[in-house]
Amino acid sequence: MYIINIYNIAGGGYLNIIISNSSGKPIYEQITAQIKRMILSGELEDGAALPSMRLLAKELRISVITTKRAYTDLERDGFIETVVGKGSFVSRKNPDILREQQLKNAEEHLQKAVDTAKTYGITKEELQEMLDALFDLE
């Protein structure tokens, strides 16, 4: 596993990408997931410039094809926009897309909880009680 800090000139900060060789996910998926998370959390703001595909590939010591795949997926999902000759930028957030992504993320975590509950014989009612208790914690 290694962490790369890439200077984001437009944002005046660093873009931290963590790549794990032991992860079961391909590198392009790791990059895509981390950039999505940064956008959804507001760490990367609307209009922020992303490093060029070549710079990202160079800094991560990976193929440009891999970074291109990550950026293509991000653009397809509406997270970034690429302007020929200028670079890639965080898209203006569409509230519907943002909400859908947040719901999908919560659903994935809940599915893991359901799978774990079934594995250990925890009933739906017990799981619901845990969810209610956790949800009401402040």
PDB file of all heavy atoms in Angstrom, residues 86-111:
ATOM      1  N   LYS A  86      -7.960  21.636 -21.625  1.00  0.00           N
ATOM      2  CA  LYS A  86      -7.948  22.335 -20.335  1.00  0.00           C
ATOM      3  C   LYS A  86      -7.832  21.392 -19.149  1.00  0.00           C
ATOM      4  O   LYS A  86      -7.291  21.757 -18.127  1.00  0.00           O
ATOM      5  CB  LYS A  86      -9.203  23.185 -20.186  1.00  0.00           C
ATOM      6  CG  LYS A  86      -9.244  24.327 -21.175  1.00  0.00           C
ATOM      7  CD  LYS A  86     -10.294  25.326 -20.818  1.00  0.00           C
ATOM      8  CE  LYS A  86     -10.200  26.482 -21.818  1.00  0.00           C
ATOM      9  NZ  LYS A  86     -10.952  27.630 -21.397  1.00  0.00           N
ATOM     10  N   GLY A  87      -8.398  20.191 -19.258  1.00  0.00           N
ATOM     11  CA  GLY A  87      -8.279  19.232 -18.174  1.00  0.00           C
ATOM     12  C   GLY A  87      -9.610  18.739 -17.653  1.00  0.00           C
ATOM     13  O   GLY A  87     -10.664  18.968 -18.251  1.00  0.00           O
ATOM     14  N   SER A  88      -9.555  18.081 -16.517  1.00  0.00           N
ATOM     15  CA  SER A  88     -10.743  17.507 -15.890  1.00  0.00           C
ATOM     16  C   SER A  88     -11.067  18.276 -14.616  1.00  0.00           C
ATOM     17  O   SER A  88     -10.170  18.621 -13.839  1.00  0.00           O
ATOM     18  CB  SER A  88     -10.506  16.034 -15.560  1.00  0.00           C
ATOM     19  OG  SER A  88     -10.294  15.302 -16.752  1.00  0.00           O
ATOM     20  N   PHE A  89     -12.361  18.500 -14.412  1.00  0.00           N
ATOM     21  CA  PHE A  89     -12.836  19.313 -13.295  1.00  0.00           C
ATOM     22  C   PHE A  89     -14.017  18.620 -12.615  1.00  0.00           C
ATOM     23  O   PHE A  89     -14.782  17.912 -13.259  1.00  0.00           O
ATOM     24  CB  PHE A  89     -13.287  20.688 -13.803  1.00  0.00           C
ATOM     25  CG  PHE A  89     -12.212  21.424 -14.553  1.00  0.00           C
ATOM     26  CD1 PHE A  89     -12.047  21.236 -15.917  1.00  0.00           C
ATOM     27  CD2 PHE A  89     -11.351  22.275 -13.885  1.00  0.00           C
ATOM     28  CE1 PHE A  89     -11.048  21.895 -16.618  1.00  0.00           C
ATOM     29  CE2 PHE A  89     -10.349  22.941 -14.572  1.00  0.00           C
ATOM     30  CZ  PHE A  89     -10.194  22.750 -15.940  1.00  0.00           C
ATOM     31  N   VAL A  90     -14.162  18.886 -11.325  1.00  0.00           N
ATOM     32  CA  VAL A  90     -15.302  18.363 -10.587  1.00  0.00           C
ATOM     33  C   VAL A  90     -16.564  19.012 -11.143  1.00  0.00           C
ATOM     34  O   VAL A  90     -16.634  20.233 -11.292  1.00  0.00           O
ATOM     35  CB  VAL A  90     -15.168  18.653  -9.072  1.00  0.00           C
ATOM     36  CG1 VAL A  90     -16.422  18.215  -8.319  1.00  0.00           C
ATOM     37  CG2 VAL A  90     -13.932  17.964  -8.503  1.00  0.00           C
ATOM     38  N   SER A  91     -17.546  18.188 -11.479  1.00  0.00           N
ATOM     39  CA  SER A  91     -18.810  18.685 -12.028  1.00  0.00           C
ATOM     40  C   SER A  91     -19.594  19.444 -10.968  1.00  0.00           C
ATOM     41  O   SER A  91     -19.445  19.190  -9.769  1.00  0.00           O
ATOM     42  CB  SER A  91     -19.684  17.522 -12.498  1.00  0.00           C
ATOM     43  OG  SER A  91     -19.098  16.848 -13.562  1.00  0.00           O
ATOM     44  N   ARG A  92     -20.429  20.331 -11.432  1.00  0.00           N
ATOM     45  CA  ARG A  92     -21.385  20.971 -10.531  1.00  0.00           C
ATOM     46  C   ARG A  92     -22.283  19.866 -10.005  1.00  0.00           C
ATOM     47  O   ARG A  92     -22.749  19.025 -10.761  1.00  0.00           O
ATOM     48  CB  ARG A  92     -22.228  22.009 -11.275  1.00  0.00           C
ATOM     49  CG  ARG A  92     -21.398  23.063 -11.954  1.00  0.00           C
ATOM     50  CD  ARG A  92     -20.958  24.128 -10.975  1.00  0.00           C
ATOM     51  NE  ARG A  92     -20.110  25.096 -11.658  1.00  0.00           N
ATOM     52  CZ  ARG A  92     -18.914  25.428 -11.214  1.00  0.00           C
ATOM     53  NH1 ARG A  92     -18.438  24.900 -10.120  1.00  0.00           N
ATOM     54  NH2 ARG A  92     -18.193  26.324 -11.845  1.00  0.00           N
ATOM     55  N   LYS A  93     -22.486  19.851  -8.720  1.00  0.00           N
ATOM     56  CA  LYS A  93     -23.242  18.749  -8.118  1.00  0.00           C
ATOM     57  C   LYS A  93     -24.716  18.815  -8.471  1.00  0.00           C
ATOM     58  O   LYS A  93     -25.384  19.789  -8.195  1.00  0.00           O
ATOM     59  CB  LYS A  93     -23.054  18.756  -6.602  1.00  0.00           C
ATOM     60  CG  LYS A  93     -21.663  18.355  -6.186  1.00  0.00           C
ATOM     61  CD  LYS A  93     -21.556  18.280  -4.685  1.00  0.00           C
ATOM     62  CE  LYS A  93     -20.142  17.981  -4.253  1.00  0.00           C
ATOM     63  NZ  LYS A  93     -19.247  19.099  -4.331  1.00  0.00           N
ATOM     64  N   ASN A  94     -25.190  17.750  -9.069  1.00  0.00           N
ATOM     65  CA  ASN A  94     -26.606  17.580  -9.327  1.00  0.00           C
ATOM     66  C   ASN A  94     -27.181  16.946  -8.057  1.00  0.00           C
ATOM     67  O   ASN A  94     -26.773  15.844  -7.686  1.00  0.00           O
ATOM     68  CB  ASN A  94     -26.796  16.654 -10.531  1.00  0.00           C
ATOM     69  CG  ASN A  94     -28.241  16.370 -10.826  1.00  0.00           C
ATOM     70  OD1 ASN A  94     -29.085  16.346  -9.939  1.00  0.00           O
ATOM     71  ND2 ASN A  94     -28.514  16.116 -12.092  1.00  0.00           N
ATOM     72  N   PRO A  95     -28.095  17.616  -7.367  1.00  0.00           N
ATOM     73  CA  PRO A  95     -28.613  17.091  -6.101  1.00  0.00           C
ATOM     74  C   PRO A  95     -29.207  15.686  -6.214  1.00  0.00           C
ATOM     75  O   PRO A  95     -29.068  14.880  -5.300  1.00  0.00           O
ATOM     76  CB  PRO A  95     -29.689  18.095  -5.697  1.00  0.00           C
ATOM     77  CG  PRO A  95     -29.414  19.321  -6.484  1.00  0.00           C
ATOM     78  CD  PRO A  95     -28.678  18.893  -7.712  1.00  0.00           C
ATOM     79  N   ASP A  96     -29.832  15.369  -7.359  1.00  0.00           N
ATOM     80  CA  ASP A  96     -30.419  14.037  -7.532  1.00  0.00           C
ATOM     81  C   ASP A  96     -29.342  12.961  -7.627  1.00  0.00           C
ATOM     82  O   ASP A  96     -29.464  11.896  -7.025  1.00  0.00           O
ATOM     83  CB  ASP A  96     -31.310  13.999  -8.778  1.00  0.00           C
ATOM     84  CG  ASP A  96     -32.529  14.899  -8.639  1.00  0.00           C
ATOM     85  OD1 ASP A  96     -32.975  15.127  -7.493  1.00  0.00           O
ATOM     86  OD2 ASP A  96     -33.037  15.374  -9.669  1.00  0.00           O
ATOM     87  N   ILE A  97     -28.285  13.247  -8.378  1.00  0.00           N
ATOM     88  CA  ILE A  97     -27.185  12.289  -8.505  1.00  0.00           C
ATOM     89  C   ILE A  97     -26.499  12.112  -7.162  1.00  0.00           C
ATOM     90  O   ILE A  97     -26.186  10.995  -6.747  1.00  0.00           O
ATOM     91  CB  ILE A  97     -26.168  12.750  -9.576  1.00  0.00           C
ATOM     92  CG1 ILE A  97     -26.803  12.667 -10.965  1.00  0.00           C
ATOM     93  CG2 ILE A  97     -24.901  11.911  -9.521  1.00  0.00           C
ATOM     94  CD1 ILE A  97     -25.933  13.225 -12.078  1.00  0.00           C
ATOM     95  N   LEU A  98     -26.262  13.214  -6.466  1.00  0.00           N
ATOM     96  CA  LEU A  98     -25.628  13.169  -5.157  1.00  0.00           C
ATOM     97  C   LEU A  98     -26.448  12.325  -4.186  1.00  0.00           C
ATOM     98  O   LEU A  98     -25.927  11.438  -3.511  1.00  0.00           O
ATOM     99  CB  LEU A  98     -25.453  14.589  -4.613  1.00  0.00           C
ATOM    100  CG  LEU A  98     -24.805  14.739  -3.252  1.00  0.00           C
ATOM    101  CD1 LEU A  98     -23.385  14.209  -3.268  1.00  0.00           C
ATOM    102  CD2 LEU A  98     -24.807  16.191  -2.832  1.00  0.00           C
ATOM    103  N   ARG A  99     -27.754  12.555  -4.130  1.00  0.00           N
ATOM    104  CA  ARG A  99     -28.627  11.810  -3.225  1.00  0.00           C
ATOM    105  C   ARG A  99     -28.653  10.328  -3.583  1.00  0.00           C
ATOM    106  O   ARG A  99     -28.597   9.470  -2.704  1.00  0.00           O
ATOM    107  CB  ARG A  99     -30.049  12.394  -3.277  1.00  0.00           C
ATOM    108  CG  ARG A  99     -31.005  11.730  -2.345  1.00  0.00           C
ATOM    109  CD  ARG A  99     -30.638  12.013  -0.906  1.00  0.00           C
ATOM    110  NE  ARG A  99     -31.614  11.426  -0.027  1.00  0.00           N
ATOM    111  CZ  ARG A  99     -31.410  11.147   1.231  1.00  0.00           C
ATOM    112  NH1 ARG A  99     -30.256  11.456   1.776  1.00  0.00           N
ATOM    113  NH2 ARG A  99     -32.329  10.603   1.958  1.00  0.00           N
ATOM    114  N   GLU A 100     -28.719  10.028  -4.861  1.00  0.00           N
ATOM    115  CA  GLU A 100     -28.734   8.630  -5.303  1.00  0.00           C
ATOM    116  C   GLU A 100     -27.448   7.912  -4.894  1.00  0.00           C
ATOM    117  O   GLU A 100     -27.472   6.770  -4.443  1.00  0.00           O
ATOM    118  CB  GLU A 100     -28.927   8.556  -6.819  1.00  0.00           C
ATOM    119  CG  GLU A 100     -29.091   7.159  -7.342  1.00  0.00           C
ATOM    120  CD  GLU A 100     -30.297   6.412  -6.794  1.00  0.00           C
ATOM    121  OE1 GLU A 100     -31.334   7.042  -6.519  1.00  0.00           O
ATOM    122  OE2 GLU A 100     -30.197   5.180  -6.623  1.00  0.00           O
ATOM    123  N   GLN A 101     -26.315   8.583  -5.031  1.00  0.00           N
ATOM    124  CA  GLN A 101     -25.033   7.986  -4.651  1.00  0.00           C
ATOM    125  C   GLN A 101     -24.976   7.762  -3.141  1.00  0.00           C
ATOM    126  O   GLN A 101     -24.483   6.733  -2.681  1.00  0.00           O
ATOM    127  CB  GLN A 101     -23.875   8.882  -5.111  1.00  0.00           C
ATOM    128  CG  GLN A 101     -22.517   8.256  -4.937  1.00  0.00           C
ATOM    129  CD  GLN A 101     -22.297   7.036  -5.816  1.00  0.00           C
ATOM    130  OE1 GLN A 101     -22.786   6.966  -6.932  1.00  0.00           O
ATOM    131  NE2 GLN A 101     -21.560   6.063  -5.326  1.00  0.00           N
ATOM    132  N   GLN A 102     -25.482   8.709  -2.371  1.00  0.00           N
ATOM    133  CA  GLN A 102     -25.488   8.552  -0.917  1.00  0.00           C
ATOM    134  C   GLN A 102     -26.377   7.382  -0.506  1.00  0.00           C
ATOM    135  O   GLN A 102     -26.015   6.592   0.370  1.00  0.00           O
ATOM    136  CB  GLN A 102     -25.963   9.849  -0.257  1.00  0.00           C
ATOM    137  CG  GLN A 102     -24.976  10.987  -0.401  1.00  0.00           C
ATOM    138  CD  GLN A 102     -25.562  12.338  -0.040  1.00  0.00           C
ATOM    139  OE1 GLN A 102     -26.772  12.544  -0.069  1.00  0.00           O
ATOM    140  NE2 GLN A 102     -24.688  13.271   0.292  1.00  0.00           N
ATOM    141  N   LEU A 103     -27.560   7.267  -1.133  1.00  0.00           N
ATOM    142  CA  LEU A 103     -28.458   6.150  -0.818  1.00  0.00           C
ATOM    143  C   LEU A 103     -27.826   4.813  -1.203  1.00  0.00           C
ATOM    144  O   LEU A 103     -27.934   3.832  -0.451  1.00  0.00           O
ATOM    145  CB  LEU A 103     -29.796   6.331  -1.544  1.00  0.00           C
ATOM    146  CG  LEU A 103     -30.697   7.442  -1.008  1.00  0.00           C
ATOM    147  CD1 LEU A 103     -31.875   7.674  -1.950  1.00  0.00           C
ATOM    148  CD2 LEU A 103     -31.191   7.127   0.397  1.00  0.00           C
ATOM    149  N   LYS A 104     -27.160   4.781  -2.336  1.00  0.00           N
ATOM    150  CA  LYS A 104     -26.495   3.549  -2.780  1.00  0.00           C
ATOM    151  C   LYS A 104     -25.410   3.144  -1.785  1.00  0.00           C
ATOM    152  O   LYS A 104     -25.280   1.967  -1.440  1.00  0.00           O
ATOM    153  CB  LYS A 104     -25.894   3.752  -4.172  1.00  0.00           C
ATOM    154  CG  LYS A 104     -25.214   2.525  -4.721  1.00  0.00           C
ATOM    155  CD  LYS A 104     -24.599   2.792  -6.082  1.00  0.00           C
ATOM    156  CE  LYS A 104     -23.825   1.572  -6.536  1.00  0.00           C
ATOM    157  NZ  LYS A 104     -22.880   1.871  -7.584  1.00  0.00           N
ATOM    158  N   ASN A 105     -24.653   4.110  -1.319  1.00  0.00           N
ATOM    159  CA  ASN A 105     -23.590   3.847  -0.354  1.00  0.00           C
ATOM    160  C   ASN A 105     -24.176   3.288   0.945  1.00  0.00           C
ATOM    161  O   ASN A 105     -23.678   2.289   1.489  1.00  0.00           O
ATOM    162  CB  ASN A 105     -22.801   5.131  -0.093  1.00  0.00           C
ATOM    163  CG  ASN A 105     -21.546   4.886   0.704  1.00  0.00           C
ATOM    164  OD1 ASN A 105     -21.003   3.802   0.711  1.00  0.00           O
ATOM    165  ND2 ASN A 105     -21.076   5.919   1.384  1.00  0.00           N
ATOM    166  N   ALA A 106     -25.245   3.904   1.447  1.00  0.00           N
ATOM    167  CA  ALA A 106     -25.883   3.426   2.679  1.00  0.00           C
ATOM    168  C   ALA A 106     -26.441   2.020   2.479  1.00  0.00           C
ATOM    169  O   ALA A 106     -26.320   1.154   3.366  1.00  0.00           O
ATOM    170  CB  ALA A 106     -26.989   4.386   3.105  1.00  0.00           C
ATOM    171  N   GLU A 107     -27.038   1.777   1.320  1.00  0.00           N
ATOM    172  CA  GLU A 107     -27.601   0.457   1.022  1.00  0.00           C
ATOM    173  C   GLU A 107     -26.528  -0.625   1.029  1.00  0.00           C
ATOM    174  O   GLU A 107     -26.743  -1.734   1.541  1.00  0.00           O
ATOM    175  CB  GLU A 107     -28.301   0.499  -0.330  1.00  0.00           C
ATOM    176  CG  GLU A 107     -29.014  -0.779  -0.684  1.00  0.00           C
ATOM    177  CD  GLU A 107     -29.732  -0.690  -2.025  1.00  0.00           C
ATOM    178  OE1 GLU A 107     -30.217   0.403  -2.375  1.00  0.00           O
ATOM    179  OE2 GLU A 107     -29.801  -1.723  -2.713  1.00  0.00           O
ATOM    180  N   GLU A 108     -25.361  -0.323   0.467  1.00  0.00           N
ATOM    181  CA  GLU A 108     -24.255  -1.293   0.462  1.00  0.00           C
ATOM    182  C   GLU A 108     -23.826  -1.643   1.880  1.00  0.00           C
ATOM    183  O   GLU A 108     -23.591  -2.819   2.190  1.00  0.00           O
ATOM    184  CB  GLU A 108     -23.075  -0.737  -0.331  1.00  0.00           C
ATOM    185  CG  GLU A 108     -23.323  -0.696  -1.824  1.00  0.00           C
ATOM    186  CD  GLU A 108     -22.230   0.042  -2.599  1.00  0.00           C
ATOM    187  OE1 GLU A 108     -21.255   0.521  -1.990  1.00  0.00           O
ATOM    188  OE2 GLU A 108     -22.358   0.129  -3.840  1.00  0.00           O
ATOM    189  N   HIS A 109     -23.738  -0.645   2.749  1.00  0.00           N
ATOM    190  CA  HIS A 109     -23.357  -0.897   4.140  1.00  0.00           C
ATOM    191  C   HIS A 109     -24.438  -1.696   4.873  1.00  0.00           C
ATOM    192  O   HIS A 109     -24.128  -2.601   5.649  1.00  0.00           O
ATOM    193  CB  HIS A 109     -23.074   0.420   4.878  1.00  0.00           C
ATOM    194  CG  HIS A 109     -21.794   1.067   4.444  1.00  0.00           C
ATOM    195  ND1 HIS A 109     -20.554   0.581   4.772  1.00  0.00           N
ATOM    196  CD2 HIS A 109     -21.571   2.163   3.681  1.00  0.00           C
ATOM    197  CE1 HIS A 109     -19.619   1.351   4.248  1.00  0.00           C
ATOM    198  NE2 HIS A 109     -20.206   2.319   3.585  1.00  0.00           N
ATOM    199  N   LEU A 110     -25.690  -1.362   4.615  1.00  0.00           N
ATOM    200  CA  LEU A 110     -26.786  -2.102   5.240  1.00  0.00           C
ATOM    201  C   LEU A 110     -26.811  -3.552   4.761  1.00  0.00           C
ATOM    202  O   LEU A 110     -27.091  -4.465   5.552  1.00  0.00           O
ATOM    203  CB  LEU A 110     -28.125  -1.423   4.966  1.00  0.00           C
ATOM    204  CG  LEU A 110     -28.369  -0.120   5.729  1.00  0.00           C
ATOM    205  CD1 LEU A 110     -29.636   0.562   5.223  1.00  0.00           C
ATOM    206  CD2 LEU A 110     -28.459  -0.375   7.226  1.00  0.00           C
ATOM    207  N   GLN A 111     -26.512  -3.785   3.496  1.00  0.00           N
ATOM    208  CA  GLN A 111     -26.471  -5.155   2.976  1.00  0.00           C
ATOM    209  C   GLN A 111     -25.412  -5.972   3.696  1.00  0.00           C
ATOM    210  O   GLN A 111     -25.626  -7.134   4.033  1.00  0.00           O
ATOM    211  CB  GLN A 111     -26.215  -5.161   1.468  1.00  0.00           C
ATOM    212  CG  GLN A 111     -26.284  -6.556   0.850  1.00  0.00           C
ATOM    213  CD  GLN A 111     -27.639  -7.203   1.027  1.00  0.00           C
ATOM    214  OE1 GLN A 111     -28.645  -6.651   0.628  1.00  0.00           O
ATOM    215  NE2 GLN A 111     -27.681  -8.377   1.641  1.00  0.00           N
TER     216      GLN A 111
END
